[in-house]
Amino acid sequence: MNNLPEPPPVVQLPDGTHAYTDHLPTIHQPTAPQVVHQHIHQAPPDRTVQRVALGSGMGAGAVAAGVYFGPLLVGALTAIAANLALLAFLAVALSWGVTTVVKSVGSPDGKAAAKTLARPRKRRR
């Protein structure tokens, strides 16, 4: 009635230490180095600038600048575009208001209204 598994045997290693045979260190078999050949156009879009910078020998400084200043530049240009859109809207609204006032004052109804407002009022006694 022995239903327990057999324990692995113990061996003595060359350095004098003991170890179980199922925990022995494996011998590293050197393999041929893997060379990954990837073109710039196969890289993801956010890595293309970095690959060009490294490929041209510019170094890690250019890569770090691309990583840092790329999104910063996009944010700054977006803020500038938003400000210009707001200014354009204000220019359209103000020019519409000015032309509306000039048209209403220059029409015959506008001239009659201006005469009515400019007429001196009679004083009550």
Side-chain angles (χ1 to χ4, degrees), residues 10 13 19 22 26 30-31 33 37 60 63 65 79 85 87 95 101 103-105 108 110 112-113 124:
V10 178
L13 299 176
D22 60 347
T26 58
T31 59
H37 184 74
V63 175
L87 289 175
S95 62
V101 168
K103 284 181 182 179
S104 67
V105 169
R124 291 187 184 177

Side-chain angles (χ1 to χ4, degrees), residues 4-31:
L4 294 176
E6 289 291 324
V10 178
V11 293
Q12 186 175 9
L13 299 176
D15 62 355
T17 59
H18 293 82
Y20 289 107
T21 54
D22 60 347
H23 294 153
L24 288 177
T26 58
I27 298 173
H28 177 65
Q29 298 291 332
T31 59

Side-chain angles (χ1 to χ4, degrees), residues 6-103:
E6 289 291 324
V10 178
V11 293
Q12 186 175 9
L13 299 176
D15 62 355
T17 59
H18 293 82
Y20 289 107
T21 54
D22 60 347
H23 294 153
L24 288 177
T26 58
I27 298 173
H28 177 65
Q29 298 291 332
T31 59
Q34 290 272 344
V35 177
V36 177
H37 184 74
Q38 187 175 23
H39 293 279
I40 289 175
H41 66 275
Q42 293 172 334
D46 59 339
R47 302 276 187 216
T48 304
V49 174
Q50 290 90 351
R51 287 181 189 268
V52 169
L54 287 175
S56 64
M58 295 176 91
V63 175
V67 169
Y68 180 75
F69 288 115
L72 193 67
L73 180 64
V74 169
L77 291 176
T78 304
I80 291 170
N83 287 337
L84 289 176
L86 180 66
L87 289 175
F89 176 74
L90 287 175
V92 167
L94 289 175
S95 62
W96 175 79
V98 168
T99 55
T100 303
V101 168
V102 167
K103 284 181 182 179

